[in-house]
Amino acid sequence: MHRFNYQRSNLYAEGIKVENIIKQFGTPLYIYSANTILDHFFKLKHAFKVLNPLICFSMKSNSSLAIIRLLVKSGSGIDVVSGGELYKAIKAGCPGVKIVYAGVGKREDEIETAIKAGILFFNVESVPELEKINKIAKRCKKIQSVCIRLNPDVDAKTHKYITTGKKETKFGLPYKVAKSIFKNKSKYKNVKIEGIHLHIGSQIVRLDPFLKAIKVALELKKEVDFEYLNIGGGLGIIYKNEKPLLPDQYAREIEKLLKGSKVKLILEPGRFIVGNAGILVTRVVYFKKGINKNFAITDGGMNLLLRPALYEAYHEINLVKKKNKPKVKMDIVGPVCESSDFLGQDRILPVPKEGEALAVFGAGAYGSAMASVYNGHPLCAEVLVNEKEVYLVKKKENYRDLIQNDLIPDFLR
Ligand code: PLP
C-alpha cells in the first residue's frame, strides 16, 4: 500500500499533484511519501506487538537523513553497515543503543568509532572480526556487546545477487563456527556475545525460508544459550504482481516458532518500509523510433535507479499526467552510455512528448541509495511529502560538485 495515486488523470503524492512538485523542483526527482513510510513502520510494529521487537530500519535501503530522522522519531533503531552509515544515523538523532552494525568488512577505525558511540551490537561476520572487536574494545576499556551472524545455509528463493544466507555467500558464519565461538566465549574478554543475527536475503516473498533460518538458530540455542535473536530484513514488496507476505502472517508464524524461547527479537526491515514509499520522476528528452524498438529516452536512468540494470528488476512506469492516446510498445531508457541503462522494457504506453514526465514506482528502496554520478550526471534532488506539504530533503548536485574532490597534480599545471 502506498500514497501515490491517480485522481482523474493526475498523479498525486499524498495530497499534492506531482506535476506541481516537479514544476517547483525539476526532474529527475525522487519523491517520498512520509505517511507511507510511517504506515509501513507501524504496520510491522503492530503485527509484532506480542514479541515487541526492536525494529532497526536498514538504512542501506534509503539513507536520506530526513527519512532516518522520521523513523527514529517514531521509535525506530537503525541497522548500519559502514562508518559512513553510522555517522549519518547519529546525525539523524539515533541513539547508539538503538544501532546495530553488520557488514563483512568492518575496518578498525569504523569499529573504534562504533564502540565509542555505544552501539547496541555488532553483528559479527567472521572470527578475525570478532578478535579485532575484542582487541579494540580492550584498548577503549569497554566491554562491547555483539551478535554472531549465522549463515544458516538456507535458500531465500530470491534473486541470486540478493541471496545472503547460503553457504557459498560471503555473509555470516557456519553453524559449527558459530557454536564454537559461543563455547569459547571466555576467550574474548572485552566482548559480550549476546545473540544470533540472521539475514538470508532481500525481496523474499515466501515464508518457509525465514522459518527454516530461524529454526537453525533455535537449534543452536539448544546447544548454547543466547538472549537476542535478530532475524534481519528481507520482507518482499509488490513491484509487479508478487504476493508478498503480510506482516501479520509473518509475525504470527514467528511468534509460534519463538514460543517459550524467551529470546529478545530484533528486526532489520529496509525495503518493506521504504520500497513503495518513493517514486522517481523523469522527463522524456526524446522519443526515438528504432528499427525493432521504440525508446523513450529520459533524463534519469541507471545512474539514479540501478535495480533494472543490476537485477533486471521490474518497476511500474506511467505518465505523471495520463492521456488518452494510442499506445505503443517502448523501452524507457536513460541517458547513460550502457545498453543496460533501462528503467523498463517493452512497456505499452502512449507515445510521450518531449518534456512529458514519467513516474517510476517502487523506487524508495535501493534507488537513491545506489545512485551514482556515472557519465557525469549530478545526483538529483529528493523531496519528502507530508500530506499537502513538500520539503526538499536533498539538494540537487551541480557540476561543481562533480569536481570538488578532484585535484590536478603540480606537474600538470
Ligand atoms: N539487514 C542486513 C544485514 C542486510 O544486508 C539487509 C539488506 O540486504 C537488510 C537488513 C535489509 O533488507 P531488506 O531491505 O530486504 O529488508
Side-chain angles (χ1 to χ4, degrees):
M1 204 215 65
H2 59 72
R3 299 195 186 196
F4 295 98
N5 294 306
Y6 284 91
Q7 288 179 28
R8 293 202 191 96
S9 50
N10 289 299
L11 180 61
Y12 278 71
E14 299 203 9
I16 314 183
K17 238 188 202 178
V18 168
E19 269 218 327
N20 292 342
I21 300 176
I22 58 175
K23 250 183 223 154
Q24 192 178 348
F25 296 98
T27 63
L29 182 71
Y30 269 104
I31 303 177
Y32 304 116
S33 152
N35 289 296
T36 306
I37 295 170
L38 293 179
D39 282 349
H40 293 162
F41 176 74
F42 286 111
K43 199 169 268 178
L44 203 56
K45 195 172 160 73
H46 191 258
F48 275 93
K49 66 176 185 295
V50 171
L51 294 169
N52 192 24
L54 173 63
I55 301 179
C56 292
F57 169 62
S58 190
M59 67 174 279
K60 66 175 73 62
S61 62
N62 190 311
S63 66
S64 154
L65 223 52
I67 288 179
I68 302 167
R69 178 92 188 130
L70 174 73
L71 287 162
V72 165
K73 277 190 79 174
S74 309
S76 182
I78 302 291
D79 157 46
V80 304
V81 285
S82 68
E85 284 197 352
L86 175 66
Y87 175 81
K88 289 183 84 171
I90 292 169
K91 284 281 176 204
C94 187
V97 291
K98 284 189 169 179
I99 296 177
V100 293
Y101 189 156
V104 293
K106 304 175 191 85
R107 293 189 314 261
E108 235 180 277
D109 60 305
E110 293 176 312
I111 293 173
E112 183 169 338
T113 311
I115 291 176
K116 288 182 176 161
I119 64 161
L120 179 61
F121 293 127
F122 283 104
N123 291 321
V124 174
E125 309 238 11
S126 67
V127 174
E129 180 195 323
L130 182 59
E131 286 164 355
K132 195 166 274 180
I133 294 170
N134 187 51
K135 185 184 87 181
I136 299 169
K138 185 172 178 198
R139 197 166 72 210
C140 298
K141 301 190 173 55
K142 295 241 169 125
I143 308 286
Q144 178 61 50
S145 291
V146 305
C147 290
I148 303 298
R149 180 164 179 178
L150 175 67
N151 184 320
D153 194 20
V154 164
D155 187 349
K157 304 269 167 36
T158 182
H159 192 286
K160 72 172 180 192
Y161 290 177
I162 45 176
T163 292
T164 56
K166 285 185 78 181
K167 65 176 184 300
E168 50 275 11
T169 66
K170 66 179 175 181
F171 301 99
L173 287 155
Y175 187 96
K176 274 190 180 157
V177 182
K179 181 174 148 188
S180 90
I181 289 175
F182 275 96
K183 294 268 185 205
N184 296 300
K185 60 182 177 186
S186 59
K187 253 176 67 182
Y188 307 99
K189 302 262 180 286
N190 287 75
V191 164
K192 198 168 169 204
I193 303 173
E194 299 204 63
I196 284 291
H197 172 234
L198 298 163
H199 175 74
I200 57 169
S202 197
Q203 185 55 13
I204 303 168
V205 294
R206 294 170 52 154
L207 190 58
D208 51 315
F210 287 115
L211 300 185
K212 265 191 200 162
I214 295 171
K215 280 180 190 160
V216 179
L218 293 178
E219 212 38 55
L220 183 61
K221 196 170 186 304
K222 287 185 196 150
E223 306 197 64
V224 294
D225 198 31
F226 54 83
E227 198 181 347
Y228 286 87
L229 178 63
N230 180 339
I231 58 170
L235 274 179
I237 61 169
I238 302 171
Y239 287 104
K240 194 177 186 180
N241 49 17
E242 298 87 344
K243 296 210 164 39
L245 294 168
L246 299 173
D248 279 333
Q249 178 193 10
Y250 179 61
R252 288 303 79 75
E253 293 295 328
I254 290 171
E255 246 172 57
K256 270 190 234 161
L257 263 190
L258 297 187
K259 205 164 183 193
S261 72
K262 290 203 181 116
V263 289
K264 292 183 182 152
L265 193 66
I266 300 175
L267 309 179
E268 296 173 342
R271 194 188 305 273
F272 177 80
I273 307 268
V274 289
N276 286 329
I279 60 171
L280 172 64
V281 183
T282 60
R283 272 189 210 279
V284 174
V285 183
Y286 299 108
F287 184 77
K288 176 172 164 175
K289 288 193 174 128
I291 293 173
N292 295 322
K293 280 206 164 205
N294 299 309
F295 300 97
I297 304 167
T298 70
D299 56 7
M302 68 186 290
N303 52 318
L304 296 177
L305 182 64
L306 189 58
R307 297 187 70 257
L310 194 60
Y311 320 124
E312 295 188 354
Y314 179 92
H315 285 265
E316 189 190 329
I317 301 175
N318 217 328
L319 285 166
V320 162
K321 194 174 172 50
K322 285 186 182 169
K323 58 184 184 184
N324 251 340
K325 288 277 154 66
K327 294 180 176 176
V328 299
K329 198 192 271 190
M330 67 189 81
D331 283 7
I332 319 294
V333 300
V336 174
C337 304
E338 298 280 343
S339 299
S340 60
D341 179 26
F342 60 87
L343 295 170
Q345 291 179 305
D346 298 328
R347 303 302 172 88
I348 314 284
L349 286 168
V351 174
K353 286 202 211 101
E354 285 182 17
E356 260 180 303
L358 293 170
V360 184
F361 293 86
Y366 308 101
S368 63
M370 289 172 114
S372 77
V373 295
Y374 183 43
N375 273 203
H377 295 288
L379 294 178
C380 71
E382 297 174 33
V383 298
L384 181 66
V385 173
N386 185 20
E387 297 183 353
K388 288 190 169 182
E389 302 293 330
V390 56
Y391 303 90
L392 181 65
V393 293
K394 182 146 194 181
K395 288 190 221 160
K396 174 179 163 39
E397 288 192 351
N398 57 38
Y399 292 151
R400 248 175 301 122
D401 296 316
L402 291 180
I403 58 163
Q404 66 171 349
N405 293 320
D406 282 52
L407 298 167
I408 308 262
D410 276 350
F411 84 98
L412 293 176
R413 284 182 196 277

